[in-house]
Amino acid sequence: MTTAPREIDETAEKRVAAHEPVTGIDLPPEASEHAPIHHDLVRAHTVTGLVGLLFAATFGLIVATKFSAPEFLGDTEVGSWGRMRFAHVQGILYAWLMNGFLAFAYYAVPTLSGRPVRSRTLGWVIFYVWNIGIVALGWTFVLLGYSQSVEWGEFPVVVDVVTVLAFLAVGVQFLHPYLRKPRGRLYVSSWYTTLALTFTPAAFVIGQFFPEYLTPGAMGAVISGLWIHDAVGLLVTPLTLAIAYYVIPATTGRPIFSHFMSMVGFWSLVFFYPLNGIHHYVYSPIPMGAQKVAIMASVFMGIGVVVVVTNLLASLRGNGYLAFWDVPLRFVWTGIVFYLLVSLQGAFQASMRVQEQIHFSDWVIAHSHLAMAGFASFIIIGGLLHAWPNVSGRTVNRRVANLAYWVATIGLVTMVVYLTIVGLQQADAWTSGAPWIESVVVSETGWLVRSLSGTALFAAFVLLIVSLYKTPVDGPGQPGRGVDREDAGASR
């Protein structure tokens, strides 16, 4: 990090000091005596999230390895491909992404709202319920063979009940400061945060319980598809963009490029994303009108993403060099580029002609990894690295974090490129009328590369943890903390 908190936009700081409204493009100065940050909760969710990421990545590596070596781990049921995949998918969402979001929310919401979160005690209740009642309990159930057949909802119903209560508690914790006389107009990160926390509990209940118990068949598939994309588009995406909109101005000390473009991007997400999920069921028995609406919504969503990405990257105007020197900002910048690529790719893949060719192929797997491991994870990592020195009293080891960045980037890009190639080869084999086994033969090299690139990602995650604890204590809350002193000087 190269910019101390007090170097943030002076205009916004003067307005706050004079108790005047903060405009929609100015980020309030970090740290406020009126809105204390619970450093212990930020640290707890950060560390737990990274450890959970290692477990979830391990499950994913086992899944990938079984493509090349099906006998890996023998015939044990607990090590079977299906249970490992359930543990991987649910672990990425609940153990990694949500802990990362909660960590950054404890850091950013008090600053954005000018008010403290509801309760530190409630925060610890949420922490233990989330990581024991959802993550640990859910993993235990799916590994023992107890799960439900809902994509992105494989944890069994008893865990779903705990998850609903946890989402409600999270809403109380972080919406409370916004409801208590927010300081002036809300900054764009607050829009995305409140959107995710108000929409998700309802979407979760509908997506988990309706397909399993109330609306089986084609209608259940439609609702399941909506949940898949609601989880991605109205939980993961808004909370990730909230971090990007926070870290960029906090690092550069300049406002967001355009308030108008922020609004266009936000409302595009609200109006178009909820319908995207049905495009998972193109050419299925559901009404053709619903399929076409989903495809059109996917295209319009792609346009909205272009606006968001343009606004975020333009906010670096005159400070683009910081993305080279500042590792947290570079993670965020790269995640934004991944966001553009994966969104345009998703809009393209949603079309009927393309779906006809590539559905069920590994190109779709490449798309999902670019979204979760690329867009979401890179920006969350950037946000956590940005916040860590302010809550831990430790500097981030820039050399180790920089190495983690390059290992993760090379590993992810390699995985996405190879899986895309494999997916196209599979599609060609399937549509040519060749025996199915030929699509397996052409996939062998790509599946091996998938395992190796996944190993690189795992190594990058280990390096990230090392980067947080490698350097000596610097004193929490001290100005000027961030990257190692030597490196900070070099970045100027």
Side-chain angles (χ1 to χ4, degrees), residues 160-419:
D160 290 342
V161 174
V162 178
T163 308
V164 171
L165 297 175
F167 271 127
L168 292 174
V170 169
V172 171
Q173 181 78 319
F174 294 107
L175 294 179
H176 172 79
Y178 289 118
L179 296 175
R180 275 187 68 232
K181 297 174 63 175
R183 187 177 54 197
R185 286 187 288 172
L186 294 181
Y187 179 68
V188 57
S189 292
S190 300
W191 311 346
Y192 284 109
T193 302
T194 53
L195 167 67
L197 298 185
T198 53
F199 190 90
T200 297
F204 183 86
V205 170
I206 295 173
Q208 301 296 311
F209 297 103
F210 276 57
E212 188 76 1
Y213 303 105
L214 302 176
T215 56
M219 184 59 70
V222 172
I223 294 176
S224 177
L226 289 174
W227 160 247
I228 294 171
H229 260 277
D230 286 348
V232 175
L234 296 174
L235 174 62
V236 174
T237 298
L239 292 178
T240 303
L241 291 177
I243 296 174
Y245 272 111
Y246 189 102
V247 173
I248 290 176
T251 305
T252 64
R254 299 189 63 182
I256 284 296
F257 176 70
S258 169
H259 183 56
F260 175 74
M261 293 175 73
S262 300
M263 290 194 294
V264 171
F266 175 79
W267 289 111
S268 296
L269 186 75
V270 172
F271 283 116
F272 297 128
Y273 218 118
L275 299 175
N276 278 12
I278 303 175
H279 71 212
H280 284 256
Y281 298 97
V282 171
Y283 290 115
S284 73
I286 66 174
M288 182 56 69
Q291 299 179 37
K292 292 181 178 179
V293 167
I295 294 171
M296 291 302 298
S298 302
V299 173
F300 284 125
M301 190 61 242
I303 298 172
V305 169
V306 171
V307 174
V308 172
V309 169
T310 302
N311 193 27
L312 287 168
L313 296 183
S315 299
L316 284 167
R317 61 196 183 285
N319 294 286
Y321 68 94
L322 288 176
F324 182 79
W325 289 109
D326 188 284
V327 179
L329 183 62
R330 195 191 313 147
F331 267 107
V332 171
W333 183 91
T334 307
I336 294 169
V337 174
F338 287 152
Y339 181 45
L340 176 64
L341 295 177
V342 75
S343 298
L344 296 180
Q345 180 192 36
F348 177 68
Q349 288 183 333
S351 67
M352 300 190 75
R353 183 61 178 167
V354 177
Q355 282 269 332
E356 185 180 20
Q357 305 293 319
I358 58 94
H359 198 80
F360 297 122
S361 78
D362 278 359
W363 193 11
V364 180
I365 309 304
H367 173 71
S368 61
H369 280 79
L370 186 59
M372 295 296 104
F375 159 57
S377 292
F378 269 61
I379 291 179
I380 292 174
I381 290 169
L384 297 180
L385 292 179
H386 171 86
W388 185 254
N390 298 339
V391 300
S392 68
R394 292 174 179 269
T395 59
V396 173
N397 188 314
R398 183 180 183 276
R399 290 184 177 85
V400 178
N402 187 51
L403 179 60
Y405 168 84
W406 285 111
V407 173
T409 302
I410 293 172
L412 179 65
V413 171
T414 302
M415 176 187 289
V416 170
V417 169
Y418 264 89
L419 286 180

Side-chain angles (χ1 to χ4, degrees), residues 74-218:
D75 297 327
T76 58
E77 292 181 349
V78 70
S80 62
W81 190 91
R83 297 185 187 182
M84 287 293 114
R85 183 185 180 279
F86 287 178
H88 171 60
V89 172
Q90 296 286 265
I92 289 295
L93 177 60
Y94 294 110
W96 160 233
L97 297 178
M98 283 307 301
N99 267 304
F101 291 139
L102 291 171
F104 198 81
Y106 278 112
Y107 178 75
V109 167
T111 295
L112 294 169
S113 65
R115 298 289 182 274
V117 297
R118 180 65 182 83
S119 165
R120 182 173 178 274
T121 301
L122 178 60
W124 281 109
V125 171
I126 292 172
F127 173 81
Y128 287 113
V129 169
W130 198 277
N131 290 291
I132 297 176
I134 298 176
V135 177
L137 188 63
W139 273 341
T140 301
F141 273 122
V142 296
L143 293 177
L144 291 177
Y146 299 98
S147 59
Q148 60 182 11
S149 55
V150 177
E151 180 76 11
W152 271 60
E154 290 86 355
F155 284 168
V157 64
V158 64
V159 179
D160 290 342
V161 174
V162 178
T163 308
V164 171
L165 297 175
F167 271 127
L168 292 174
V170 169
V172 171
Q173 181 78 319
F174 294 107
L175 294 179
H176 172 79
Y178 289 118
L179 296 175
R180 275 187 68 232
K181 297 174 63 175
R183 187 177 54 197
R185 286 187 288 172
L186 294 181
Y187 179 68
V188 57
S189 292
S190 300
W191 311 346
Y192 284 109
T193 302
T194 53
L195 167 67
L197 298 185
T198 53
F199 190 90
T200 297
F204 183 86
V205 170
I206 295 173
Q208 301 296 311
F209 297 103
F210 276 57
E212 188 76 1
Y213 303 105
L214 302 176
T215 56

